[in-house]
Amino acid sequence: MNPGALDDGAVLLRIEASHLPGRDCGQAPDFPGYRNIHVGVQRRDRRDELLELHPGDAPAAVWELEATAMVKESGWDLRGPYVQGRPGGRFVYLSWGTVDDAGAFSMFRRAKLWFDAILPDVLDTAVKTGLLVGRLGLTDSSGQPLCAAVRPPLIEWSAPAI
C-alpha cells in the first residue's frame, strides 16, 4: 500500500519484527513450553480474530495496519480496527499462540506495543507522510516469545522524513 494514497488523517502502521523465538520453545521455570508457535496482531475487542499469523521460526514478520490520526489536546490519537485501549493509552497486541492440526489458534501470551512512548515529532511526521514504523525483535532475554509491555528500547518507532 502506498502511504501517499491514504485518505487525510490516515496512517499506515507497519510493524517490522525480527529475531523470532522459534516454532517450539521448551519449558523453563516460568514457562510451560509450547510447540508450533505462531504470532499475529489481535483485532480490537476480538481476542480470537488475528491478522496474518506468522510461524515462530520465520526469519521476519511484517504487519500493515490502517489507522486514523485524530488531533487531541494532548497530541495525536491513533485509532483503527487493530488499535486497542483508550485515548492516551493506545497500543497494539501481538498475540502468541499454538496452532493445532486443524489450524485452530490457542493464545498463551501477548506483547503490548505501547504508543505512549512515540516521540511527538515522530508522530507528527508519520501523520504528514502517512507512515509510522515500529521495529522490534520478538525474542525476550530468556529466549522465549516477547510479552508484556513493549516500549523503547525494545521497540523503535520511526517515520520517513518529509
Side-chain angles (χ1 to χ4, degrees):
M1 183 179 302
N2 177 356
L6 296 173
D7 296 330
D8 290 337
V11 175
L12 180 66
L13 173 59
R14 182 182 303 141
I15 300 168
E16 299 176 356
S18 60
H19 303 97
L20 281 77
R23 184 80 64 115
D24 299 325
C25 288
Q27 192 172 11
D30 293 328
F31 189 78
Y34 295 95
R35 301 175 78 48
N36 203 21
I37 295 171
H38 287 67
V39 61
V41 176
Q42 179 185 315
R43 189 173 180 94
R44 182 183 64 245
D45 298 328
R46 296 182 189 169
R47 181 180 171 141
D48 296 324
E49 190 173 326
L50 301 166
L51 177 67
E52 297 178 36
L53 278 180
H54 293 274
D57 61 353
V62 176
W63 296 273
E64 291 189 343
L65 320 170
E66 291 186 19
T68 303
M70 307 293 292
V71 68
K72 299 285 184 186
E73 264 184 45
S74 59
W76 292 105
D77 179 38
L78 295 177
R79 294 191 254 178
Y82 294 92
V83 177
Q84 312 275 344
R86 299 175 193 247
R90 303 277 193 205
F91 60 91
V92 169
Y93 271 132
L94 294 184
S95 294
W96 291 98
T98 59
V99 176
D100 66 18
D101 292 339
F105 179 86
S106 297
M107 187 184 72
F108 63 83
R109 69 171 26 168
R110 297 187 286 196
K112 193 183 265 193
L113 311 183
W114 284 96
F115 295 170
D116 62 355
I118 301 172
L119 297 174
D121 61 323
V122 170
L123 201 45
D124 288 344
T125 301
V127 171
K128 289 176 188 167
T129 63
L131 178 62
L132 176 64
V133 179
R135 290 183 184 92
L136 73 160
L138 291 182
T139 301
D140 70 13
S141 61
S142 299
Q144 306 299 338
L146 182 69
C147 68
V150 178
R151 292 183 172 93
L154 295 176
I155 188 167
E156 175 191 339
W157 293 105
S158 64
I162 298 173

